[in-house]
Amino acid sequence: MPTLLHIDSSLFPADASASRAVTATFRKEWEAQHPDGTVIYRDLAAEPLPHLDGLAAAAGFTPAEQRTPELEAAFALRDTLASELERADAVVIGAPMYNFTIPSSLKAWLDHVIIAGRTSMAQPSTVAGTPTVVVASRGGGYGPGTPRESFEFVLNYLGKALTEMLSLDVEFIVPELTLARTNPAMADLVDLSDASKAKAHEEAAAKAKTVTARLAA
């Protein structure tokens, strides 16, 4: 049966996190479509990964038969995380904007799973073409034509890292203005925020169905 890799990186619980709420909608619809399927879940805030260190990086560039026991131990986590990605028939990632970019916990995950000659820079990559939905929530508005358009480094970065480095087939869902109900300065944007949130949940459910249909084809 199909396997979904579900990754959350928000620091906040679901009732206070737009990205967690929307990834949950995707997962709920996925499980409805695949009642006997498997979900691999990584909560990078609850169980943060260590940053990639020199030994783990070197191990990724060393052929398996040439790794020392020390390199093998350093590579073990990278192998586990890459294997989870390789097992997945679909991926959903919660990627809230923090200080104009992704959470460091999500960057750590990427640094571990991007392995040259395996998941990246391989012909083909072991994860090439895996349908991936990224919920890129942000507290304000950063779309084309907005005053802070140039501050947006979530879609720009993940669009490159996930497609160019991992060769995943990526789509984005972007709930915007998520702080409108808690920031008095954004009071006049509440309706737009609510509409963006509702649209994001609709898109998440629809994309889960679309991915299901694609895998069944």
Side-chain angles (χ1 to χ4, degrees), residues 41-72:
Y41 183 54
R42 283 272 173 187
D43 187 334
L44 300 179
E47 297 184 53
L49 300 169
H51 290 295
L52 188 68
D53 62 20
L55 274 177
F61 289 103
T62 304
E65 65 275 10
Q66 296 178 21
R67 289 182 197 136
T68 64
E70 186 179 31
L71 287 176
E72 281 290 351

Short mmCIF file of all heavy atoms in Angstrom, two decimals, residues 41-72:
data_model
loop_
_atom_site.label_atom_id
_atom_site.label_comp_id
_atom_site.label_asym_id
_atom_site.label_seq_id
_atom_site.Cartn_x
_atom_site.Cartn_y
_atom_site.Cartn_z
N TYR A 41 5.80 9.74 10.04
CA TYR A 41 5.64 11.11 10.54
C TYR A 41 6.91 11.59 11.23
O TYR A 41 7.45 10.91 12.09
CB TYR A 41 4.47 11.19 11.51
CG TYR A 41 4.19 12.59 12.01
CD1 TYR A 41 3.98 13.64 11.12
CD2 TYR A 41 4.13 12.86 13.37
CE1 TYR A 41 3.72 14.93 11.58
CE2 TYR A 41 3.86 14.15 13.84
CZ TYR A 41 3.67 15.17 12.94
OH TYR A 41 3.41 16.45 13.38
N ARG A 42 7.34 12.78 10.84
CA ARG A 42 8.48 13.43 11.48
C ARG A 42 8.03 14.80 11.97
O ARG A 42 7.67 15.68 11.18
CB ARG A 42 9.62 13.63 10.48
CG ARG A 42 10.43 12.39 10.19
CD ARG A 42 11.54 12.21 11.15
NE ARG A 42 12.24 10.92 10.98
CZ ARG A 42 13.16 10.48 11.79
NH1 ARG A 42 13.55 11.22 12.82
NH2 ARG A 42 13.74 9.31 11.59
N ASP A 43 8.05 15.00 13.28
CA ASP A 43 7.78 16.31 13.87
C ASP A 43 9.14 16.90 14.24
O ASP A 43 9.73 16.55 15.27
CB ASP A 43 6.89 16.16 15.11
CG ASP A 43 6.45 17.50 15.67
OD1 ASP A 43 7.18 18.51 15.46
OD2 ASP A 43 5.39 17.56 16.32
N LEU A 44 9.63 17.78 13.40
CA LEU A 44 10.99 18.29 13.57
C LEU A 44 11.12 19.29 14.71
O LEU A 44 12.24 19.60 15.12
CB LEU A 44 11.46 18.94 12.26
CG LEU A 44 11.48 18.00 11.04
CD1 LEU A 44 11.94 18.77 9.81
CD2 LEU A 44 12.37 16.79 11.29
N ALA A 45 9.98 19.78 15.21
CA ALA A 45 10.03 20.66 16.39
C ALA A 45 10.06 19.83 17.67
O ALA A 45 10.82 20.12 18.59
CB ALA A 45 8.84 21.60 16.40
N ALA A 46 9.23 18.78 17.71
CA ALA A 46 9.19 17.93 18.90
C ALA A 46 10.44 17.07 19.03
O ALA A 46 10.92 16.81 20.14
CB ALA A 46 7.95 17.05 18.86
N GLU A 47 10.96 16.62 17.89
CA GLU A 47 12.16 15.79 17.87
C GLU A 47 13.14 16.35 16.85
O GLU A 47 13.29 15.81 15.76
CB GLU A 47 11.81 14.34 17.55
CG GLU A 47 10.90 13.69 18.58
CD GLU A 47 10.65 12.23 18.27
OE1 GLU A 47 11.63 11.48 18.09
OE2 GLU A 47 9.47 11.84 18.19
N PRO A 48 13.81 17.44 17.20
CA PRO A 48 14.72 18.08 16.24
C PRO A 48 15.90 17.19 15.89
O PRO A 48 16.39 16.42 16.71
CB PRO A 48 15.17 19.35 16.96
CG PRO A 48 14.91 19.10 18.40
CD PRO A 48 13.75 18.16 18.49
N LEU A 49 16.32 17.32 14.64
CA LEU A 49 17.48 16.57 14.18
C LEU A 49 18.75 17.37 14.48
O LEU A 49 18.74 18.59 14.49
CB LEU A 49 17.39 16.36 12.66
CG LEU A 49 16.17 15.60 12.17
CD1 LEU A 49 16.06 15.72 10.65
CD2 LEU A 49 16.24 14.14 12.59
N PRO A 50 19.86 16.68 14.70
CA PRO A 50 21.13 17.41 14.85
C PRO A 50 21.53 18.03 13.52
O PRO A 50 21.18 17.51 12.46
CB PRO A 50 22.11 16.31 15.27
CG PRO A 50 21.55 15.06 14.67
CD PRO A 50 20.06 15.21 14.76
N HIS A 51 22.21 19.13 13.58
CA HIS A 51 22.74 19.70 12.34
C HIS A 51 23.77 18.74 11.74
O HIS A 51 24.44 17.99 12.46
CB HIS A 51 23.39 21.06 12.61
CG HIS A 51 22.40 22.12 12.95
ND1 HIS A 51 21.46 22.57 12.03
CD2 HIS A 51 22.17 22.83 14.07
CE1 HIS A 51 20.72 23.51 12.59
NE2 HIS A 51 21.12 23.68 13.83
N LEU A 52 23.88 18.78 10.43
CA LEU A 52 24.87 17.96 9.75
C LEU A 52 26.27 18.37 10.19
O LEU A 52 26.61 19.55 10.16
CB LEU A 52 24.71 18.15 8.23
CG LEU A 52 25.53 17.23 7.33
CD1 LEU A 52 25.04 15.79 7.45
CD2 LEU A 52 25.43 17.71 5.88
N ASP A 53 27.06 17.39 10.60
CA ASP A 53 28.43 17.70 11.00
C ASP A 53 29.42 17.20 9.96
O ASP A 53 29.05 16.59 8.95
CB ASP A 53 28.74 17.16 12.39
CG ASP A 53 28.66 15.64 12.48
OD1 ASP A 53 28.74 14.96 11.43
OD2 ASP A 53 28.53 15.11 13.61
N GLY A 54 30.68 17.45 10.21
CA GLY A 54 31.71 17.12 9.23
C GLY A 54 31.80 15.63 8.93
O GLY A 54 31.97 15.23 7.77
N LEU A 55 31.70 14.79 9.96
CA LEU A 55 31.79 13.35 9.75
C LEU A 55 30.62 12.83 8.91
O LEU A 55 30.81 12.04 7.98
CB LEU A 55 31.81 12.62 11.09
CG LEU A 55 33.16 12.46 11.78
CD1 LEU A 55 32.97 11.78 13.13
CD2 LEU A 55 34.11 11.64 10.91
N ALA A 56 29.40 13.28 9.25
CA ALA A 56 28.24 12.83 8.50
C ALA A 56 28.30 13.31 7.05
O ALA A 56 27.89 12.59 6.12
CB ALA A 56 26.96 13.32 9.17
N ALA A 57 28.79 14.53 6.85
CA ALA A 57 28.93 15.05 5.49
C ALA A 57 29.96 14.23 4.72
O ALA A 57 29.73 13.83 3.56
CB ALA A 57 29.33 16.51 5.53
N ALA A 58 31.11 13.96 5.35
CA ALA A 58 32.16 13.18 4.68
C ALA A 58 31.69 11.77 4.36
O ALA A 58 32.01 11.22 3.29
CB ALA A 58 33.40 13.13 5.57
N ALA A 59 30.91 11.18 5.26
CA ALA A 59 30.41 9.83 5.04
C ALA A 59 29.54 9.76 3.79
O ALA A 59 29.54 8.75 3.07
CB ALA A 59 29.61 9.37 6.25
N GLY A 60 28.80 10.84 3.53
CA GLY A 60 27.94 10.85 2.35
C GLY A 60 28.72 10.84 1.05
O GLY A 60 28.18 10.44 0.01
N PHE A 61 29.97 11.27 1.08
CA PHE A 61 30.80 11.29 -0.12
C PHE A 61 31.76 10.10 -0.17
O PHE A 61 32.57 10.01 -1.09
CB PHE A 61 31.61 12.59 -0.17
CG PHE A 61 30.78 13.80 -0.45
CD1 PHE A 61 30.45 14.68 0.58
CD2 PHE A 61 30.30 14.08 -1.72
CE1 PHE A 61 29.68 15.81 0.34
CE2 PHE A 61 29.53 15.20 -1.98
CZ PHE A 61 29.22 16.07 -0.95
N THR A 62 31.64 9.21 0.80
CA THR A 62 32.53 8.06 0.86
C THR A 62 31.77 6.80 0.47
O THR A 62 30.72 6.52 1.04
CB THR A 62 33.10 7.88 2.29
OG1 THR A 62 33.74 9.09 2.70
CG2 THR A 62 34.09 6.73 2.33
N PRO A 63 32.27 6.01 -0.50
CA PRO A 63 31.60 4.76 -0.86
C PRO A 63 31.41 3.87 0.36
O PRO A 63 32.26 3.82 1.25
CB PRO A 63 32.56 4.12 -1.86
CG PRO A 63 33.31 5.27 -2.46
CD PRO A 63 33.47 6.26 -1.32
N ALA A 64 30.28 3.19 0.41
CA ALA A 64 29.92 2.39 1.59
C ALA A 64 31.03 1.42 1.99
O ALA A 64 31.33 1.25 3.18
CB ALA A 64 28.63 1.65 1.34
N GLU A 65 31.67 0.79 0.99
CA GLU A 65 32.69 -0.21 1.30
C GLU A 65 33.97 0.41 1.83
O GLU A 65 34.84 -0.31 2.36
CB GLU A 65 33.00 -1.05 0.05
CG GLU A 65 33.63 -0.29 -1.10
CD GLU A 65 32.63 0.41 -2.00
OE1 GLU A 65 31.42 0.47 -1.63
OE2 GLU A 65 33.05 0.91 -3.06
N GLN A 66 34.10 1.73 1.74
CA GLN A 66 35.30 2.40 2.22
C GLN A 66 35.09 3.15 3.54
O GLN A 66 36.02 3.73 4.08
CB GLN A 66 35.81 3.38 1.16
CG GLN A 66 36.24 2.72 -0.13
CD GLN A 66 36.70 3.73 -1.18
OE1 GLN A 66 37.05 4.86 -0.86
NE2 GLN A 66 36.68 3.31 -2.44
N ARG A 67 33.87 3.12 4.06
CA ARG A 67 33.61 3.85 5.30
C ARG A 67 34.20 3.12 6.51
O ARG A 67 34.05 1.91 6.66
CB ARG A 67 32.10 4.02 5.51
CG ARG A 67 31.46 4.99 4.56
CD ARG A 67 29.97 5.16 4.83
NE ARG A 67 29.31 5.77 3.69
CZ ARG A 67 28.15 5.38 3.18
NH1 ARG A 67 27.49 4.38 3.76
NH2 ARG A 67 27.66 5.98 2.13
N THR A 68 34.81 3.88 7.36
CA THR A 68 35.28 3.36 8.63
C THR A 68 34.08 3.18 9.57
O THR A 68 33.00 3.72 9.31
CB THR A 68 36.26 4.34 9.28
OG1 THR A 68 35.56 5.56 9.58
CG2 THR A 68 37.44 4.63 8.35
N PRO A 69 34.24 2.44 10.65
CA PRO A 69 33.14 2.33 11.62
C PRO A 69 32.66 3.69 12.10
O PRO A 69 31.46 3.90 12.32
CB PRO A 69 33.75 1.51 12.76
CG PRO A 69 34.78 0.65 12.08
CD PRO A 69 35.35 1.53 11.00
N GLU A 70 33.58 4.64 12.25
CA GLU A 70 33.21 5.98 12.70
C GLU A 70 32.33 6.68 11.65
O GLU A 70 31.32 7.30 11.98
CB GLU A 70 34.46 6.81 12.96
CG GLU A 70 34.18 8.18 13.56
CD GLU A 70 35.44 8.97 13.83
OE1 GLU A 70 36.43 8.79 13.07
OE2 GLU A 70 35.45 9.77 14.78
N LEU A 71 32.71 6.53 10.39
CA LEU A 71 31.90 7.13 9.31
C LEU A 71 30.55 6.44 9.19
O LEU A 71 29.53 7.08 8.94
CB LEU A 71 32.66 7.07 7.98
CG LEU A 71 33.84 8.02 7.82
CD1 LEU A 71 34.54 7.78 6.48
CD2 LEU A 71 33.38 9.47 7.92
N GLU A 72 30.54 5.12 9.36
CA GLU A 72 29.27 4.38 9.30
C GLU A 72 28.32 4.87 10.38
O GLU A 72 27.12 5.07 10.13
CB GLU A 72 29.50 2.88 9.46
CG GLU A 72 29.99 2.19 8.21
CD GLU A 72 28.92 2.11 7.13
OE1 GLU A 72 27.75 2.43 7.39
OE2 GLU A 72 29.27 1.73 6.00
#
